[in-house]
Amino acid sequence: MLSYRHSFHAGNPADVIKHLVLREVLQYLTQKDKPFDYIDTHSGAGMYTLASDESQKTQEYQTGIAKLWQYQGNNQAIQNYVELIKNYNLDGELAFYPGSPSVACSQLRAYDKGWFFELHPQDIKHLDDNFRSHRNVKVKFEDGFKGLIGLVPPQSRRACVLIDPPYEIKSDYDLVVDTLVKAYKRFATGTYMVWYPVVNRERIDRMEQRFKDSGIKNICLYELATQADTDEFGMTASGMIVINPPWTLAKTMSEVLPELVSLLSEADGFYRAEQLVEE
């Protein structure tokens, strides 16, 4: 249950789409002066060294951020994402990759709040060390699913939530939906982001249908597939399901995803940009 370490996967194509969407959502929220809460249910270590044994064993970042490191295109969202990663690599060499807590902290203002949950005994230590100096951030050695329910509705009445469990346990697919339904009933105006991996397409189809049947409104889906679906072992795609997205996100992702497919995917790669449930 606690074996997953994101350090093996940091900077891969799944991180690219996850963190690009996360940055876009947070940047939109900061356009208003009003404070908001950011809740990260599965935070990991928060920062990753790409020279580590774990990253070097898989070298998944070579298929993701490394391919975008010298990005010369004109897409503003991709430019902003790459610039964000470069801000953690000031000597110009790709050596570090920020996890979602670091991506969030790059956008949070002093009067916003961050809530970072993690259960892995090693990663929680790294997470605590990485954010101990951030006065507006609280690191919790707790179950993030339960932690989310305990935090909504937030005092600020504005919130952005990222749920991205490792899905090592098959029941996580249903637990994600169950948790979102509970959170939405308590706080229907928050922006909720769910990251998912495509290892078995039937599980994703089921999760999408459950969201459609949930009664939750305004749900969008953005998926990046680096290769066609397969029955063989391994992740072929990943995506973000976003509840109450910024109105700007649909146009942004409709422009981002075709370019990411051309830059990161094999010949049979594809993307999806869909409105699962209307407002």
Side-chain angles (χ1 to χ4, degrees), residues 20-62:
L20 190 151
V21 169
L22 175 59
R23 187 211 166 275
E24 289 295 310
V25 170
L26 290 172
Q27 195 277 330
Y28 180 84
L29 286 174
T30 59
Q31 291 179 11
K32 288 186 177 180
D33 291 335
K34 296 179 180 180
F36 67 90
D37 290 59
Y38 170 72
I39 303 167
D40 196 320
T41 63
H42 296 75
S43 295
M47 180 62 69
Y48 303 96
T49 302
L50 298 180
S52 69
D53 291 342
E54 294 93 340
S55 289
Q56 287 301 310
K57 182 176 181 179
T58 59
Q59 295 198 18
E60 289 188 16
Y61 68 91
Q62 295 285 7

Side-chain angles (χ1 to χ4, degrees), residues 91-105:
D91 64 355
E93 298 295 323
L94 178 57
F96 303 99
Y97 189 85
S100 52
S102 293
V103 172
C105 280

Side-chain angles (χ1 to χ4, degrees), residues 6 13 23 29 83 140:
H6 193 68
R23 187 211 166 275
L29 286 174
E83 187 63 29
K140 300 281 192 176

Side-chain angles (χ1 to χ4, degrees), residues 177-197:
V177 181
D178 293 341
T179 301
L180 258 297
V181 170
K182 289 180 183 177
Y184 186 84
K185 287 180 179 178
R186 294 171 65 93
F187 182 57
T189 57
T191 296
Y192 300 91
M193 295 171 288
V194 175
W195 176 83
Y196 65 88

Side-chain angles (χ1 to χ4, degrees), residues 249-269:
L249 190 61
K251 181 177 185 298
T252 296
M253 295 309 294
S254 69
E255 297 169 351
V256 162
L257 285 167
E259 191 157 359
L260 288 183
V261 168
S262 69
L263 294 169
L264 304 181
S265 298
E266 298 177 8
D268 55 357

